[in-house]
């Protein structure tokens, strides 16, 4: 999970743009402010809309449309698996040619990015299709064996609208594959983040605390204790981070002096914030107190991360600031309202997700698009039945 917030205006080259050995001129204060503000906004969008979509996803009646739930056991093992994966990637980049590794990764994320972006824009695009649009239904079915031993491998139903969304997403995919442009990178990164917040669910607040606490230690160790995470983030040419150029005002869309934010810093707090939104709904008080509190806490934590990074001119483990804020603020509100017991006894899987499958596998890169898209890819490729389209639901 690449989760360091990095500031490249000290002259180092960053992933997401051309790499060279020349020292870049220092960014202007306006450019730095624009880059930081844009990163903050891009981090908030998938959390907010992903949390709203997680409620609709959780209320789905078809078992095949259910999200995957992370249990306390999964959460406890997550940082260990993530550390092994991160170290493995670091060794790969040290031993093998970075060019060939990134070529394979580009093809991998090209496919996953198209699927993620198509799934993300589908509810928005449905609003623009006229009622007279010829929407035909299709089914992609692969089976294994015959007779009583026949087993479905893929049973995916889709329609013409889905094909249009897939076509538009493919244009972005080709753009990313050919140019590695930072805008295409961010479109894929935002899609991965939103799908992660929507489709990965924590079963209760205790599990969320275990997950965030473990990744808090993971993040601090790999950023401050070693150069592994920053090295992987700079070498990894894939949409596993949100980037924004600090020299946009000087060079326009061809700018290449990037500040970046790992997707882990968006998705990991995001799934906890989404859990608190579902807890708010379970209270049936027509208020979203805990959701808005945790959302404000995220803004505070990420803003503090940016401030510290700008002062010390060093990449920061954003979860160092986000985890205490996102857990501490809602717990303080619960203490003030006398609802701590209700908060920690709330079971998402029991309240809204009676048949939610448990997360039984660990993805390739914890907190990165590989992890989030693997879960999403199985959901998109697995058997499912289409629900009635609701263009206005978000």
């Amino acid at each position: 999970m690449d989760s360091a917030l990095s500031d490249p205006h000290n002259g180092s080259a960053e992933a997401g743009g051309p790499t060279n050995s020349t020292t870049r001129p220092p960014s202007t204060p306006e450019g730095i402010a624009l880059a930081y503000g844009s990163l903050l906004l891009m981090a908030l969008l998938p959390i907010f809309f992903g949390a709203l979509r997680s409620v609709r996803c959780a209320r789905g009646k078809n078992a095949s449309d259910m999200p995957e739930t992370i249990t306390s056991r999964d959460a406890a093992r997550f940082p260990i698996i993530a550390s092994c994966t991160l170290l493995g990637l670091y060794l790969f980049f040290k031993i093998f040619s970075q060019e060939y590794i990134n070529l394979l990764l580009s093809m991998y994320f090209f496919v996953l990015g198209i699927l993620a972006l198509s799934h993300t824009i589908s509810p928005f695009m449905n609003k623009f299709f006229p009622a007279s649009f010829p929407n035909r239904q299709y089914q992609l079915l692969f089976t294994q064996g015959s007779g009583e031993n026949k087993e479905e491998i893929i049973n995916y139903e889709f329609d013409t609208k889905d094909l249009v969304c897939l076509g538009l997403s493919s244009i972005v995919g080709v753009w990313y594959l050919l140019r590695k442009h930072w805008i295409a990178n961010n479109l894929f990164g935002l899609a991965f983040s939103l799908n992660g917040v929507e489709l990965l669910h924590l079963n209760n607040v205790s599990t969320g605390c275990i997950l965030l606490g473990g990744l808090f230690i993971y993040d601090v160790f790999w950023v401050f204790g070693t150069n592994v995470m920053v090295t992987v983030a700079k070498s990894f040419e894939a949409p596993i981070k949100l980037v924004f150029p600090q020299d946009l005002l000087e060079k326009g869309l061809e700018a290449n002096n990037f500040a970046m934010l790992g997707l882990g810093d968006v998705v990991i707090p995001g799934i906890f914030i989404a859990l608190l939104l579902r807890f708010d709904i379970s209270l049936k008080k027509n208020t979203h107190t805990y959701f808005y509190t945790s959302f404000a806490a995220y803004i505070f934590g990420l803003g503090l991360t940016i401030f510290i990074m700008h002062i010390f001119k060093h990449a920061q483990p954003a979860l160092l600031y986000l985890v205490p804020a996102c857990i501490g603020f809602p717990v303080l509100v619960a203490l003030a309202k006398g609802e701590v017991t209700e908060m920690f006894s709330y079971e998402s899987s029991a309240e809204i997700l009676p048949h939610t499958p448990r997360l039984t596998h660990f993805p390739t890169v914890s907190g990165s698009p590989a992890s989030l898209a693997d879960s999403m890819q199985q959901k998109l490729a697995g058997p499912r039945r289409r629900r009635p389209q609701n263009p206005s639901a978000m």
Side-chain angles (χ1 to χ4, degrees):
M1 180 185 66
D2 295 300
S3 56
L5 180 64
S6 183
D7 171 23
H9 75 274
N10 58 5
S12 61
E14 292 296 324
T19 302
N20 55 63
S21 57
T22 60
T23 301
R24 294 167 177 165
S27 303
T28 63
E30 294 82 4
I32 294 174
L34 177 62
Y36 289 163
S38 299
L39 284 178
L40 179 60
L41 178 62
M42 287 192 291
L44 295 177
L45 289 176
I47 291 178
F48 185 83
F49 289 106
L52 295 180
R53 289 174 61 153
S54 77
V55 175
R56 190 186 72 169
C57 178
R59 288 173 170 172
K61 298 186 179 188
N62 295 328
S64 58
D65 288 326
M66 293 295 180
E68 294 199 58
T69 300
I70 301 174
T71 67
S72 57
R73 183 180 178 183
D74 301 324
R77 294 187 298 175
F78 213 77
I80 300 174
I81 302 297
S83 296
C84 295
T85 303
L86 183 66
L87 185 58
L89 285 172
Y90 177 79
L91 295 176
F92 262 95
F93 280 114
K94 289 295 184 182
I95 298 173
F96 301 102
S97 171
Q98 181 176 323
E99 178 183 356
Y100 294 116
I101 295 176
N102 281 319
L103 179 61
L104 292 174
L105 291 173
S106 295
M107 297 303 299
Y108 176 67
F109 283 104
F110 168 76
V111 176
L112 294 186
I114 290 175
L115 292 174
L117 188 58
S118 177
H119 182 258
T120 299
I121 67 174
S122 180
F124 299 100
M125 292 300 298
N126 285 333
K127 299 178 182 179
F128 299 99
F129 288 106
S132 59
F133 183 81
N135 192 34
R136 297 183 177 181
Q137 301 292 324
Y138 303 92
Q139 184 178 23
L140 183 64
L141 178 63
F142 286 93
T143 61
Q144 176 179 300
S146 61
E148 296 181 356
N149 297 324
K150 181 180 290 187
E151 180 183 358
E152 287 187 357
I153 305 300
I154 297 177
N155 185 3
Y156 181 59
E157 295 182 10
F158 56 97
D159 55 29
T160 309
K161 294 179 181 179
D162 293 327
L163 291 178
V164 172
C165 294
L166 193 65
L168 294 174
S169 302
S170 298
I171 296 174
V172 178
V174 173
W175 181 25
Y176 171 78
L177 194 63
L178 297 178
R179 296 290 304 276
K180 295 293 192 301
H181 198 276
W182 60 272
I183 295 179
N185 173 91
N186 286 343
L187 289 175
F188 277 169
L190 289 170
F192 282 128
S193 299
L194 190 145
N195 280 281
V197 175
E198 176 187 359
L199 301 177
L200 290 175
H201 287 198
L202 297 164
N203 63 348
N204 55 50
V205 173
S206 297
T207 299
C209 292
I210 294 172
L211 179 65
L212 267 66
L215 291 177
F216 171 90
I217 299 172
Y218 159 93
D219 211 14
V220 172
F221 173 77
W222 289 112
V223 174
F224 283 153
T226 71
N227 68 337
V228 171
M229 184 177 290
V230 175
T231 300
V232 170
K234 291 180 180 180
S235 304
F236 211 85
E237 292 184 5
I240 61 169
K241 50 191 173 290
L242 301 174
V243 299
F244 200 90
Q246 298 187 9
D247 53 348
L248 179 68
L249 300 177
E250 293 79 23
K251 297 184 179 180
L253 296 180
E254 298 304 318
N256 58 6
N257 187 19
F258 296 106
M260 66 182 184
L261 176 68
L263 295 191
D265 297 326
V266 179
V267 177
I268 298 303
I271 61 177
F272 186 74
I273 294 171
L275 171 67
L276 292 179
L277 174 60
R278 299 193 297 274
F279 170 61
D280 275 323
I281 294 174
S282 73
L283 294 176
K284 299 179 180 179
K285 295 183 178 180
N286 295 323
T287 61
H288 296 159
T289 304
Y290 295 101
F291 171 67
Y292 290 126
T293 298
S294 58
F295 195 74
Y298 182 86
I299 297 174
F300 170 78
L302 189 57
L304 181 60
T305 307
I306 293 173
F307 175 76
I308 297 296
M309 183 193 65
H310 182 65
I311 294 299
F312 291 99
K313 302 294 187 296
H314 188 277
Q316 295 294 311
L319 294 182
L320 173 64
Y321 311 97
L322 290 172
V323 169
C326 290
I327 293 179
F329 283 32
V331 169
L332 289 176
V333 171
L335 284 171
K337 298 181 67 175
E339 294 177 341
V340 175
T341 302
E342 289 86 346
M343 173 184 283
F344 282 89
S345 61
Y346 167 70
E347 286 284 340
S348 177
S349 57
E351 288 282 344
I352 302 179
L353 312 173
H355 304 294
T356 301
R358 175 179 168 273
L359 181 64
T360 57
H361 67 280
F362 283 92
T364 304
V365 181
S366 167
S368 74
S371 67
L372 308 175
D374 276 353
S375 298
M376 183 209 67
Q377 185 186 32
Q378 292 185 7
K379 183 176 300 301
L380 294 178
R384 70 168 185 150
R385 298 176 184 172
R386 290 191 59 83
R387 291 178 293 184
Q389 294 292 335
N390 185 6
S392 62
M394 272 300 302

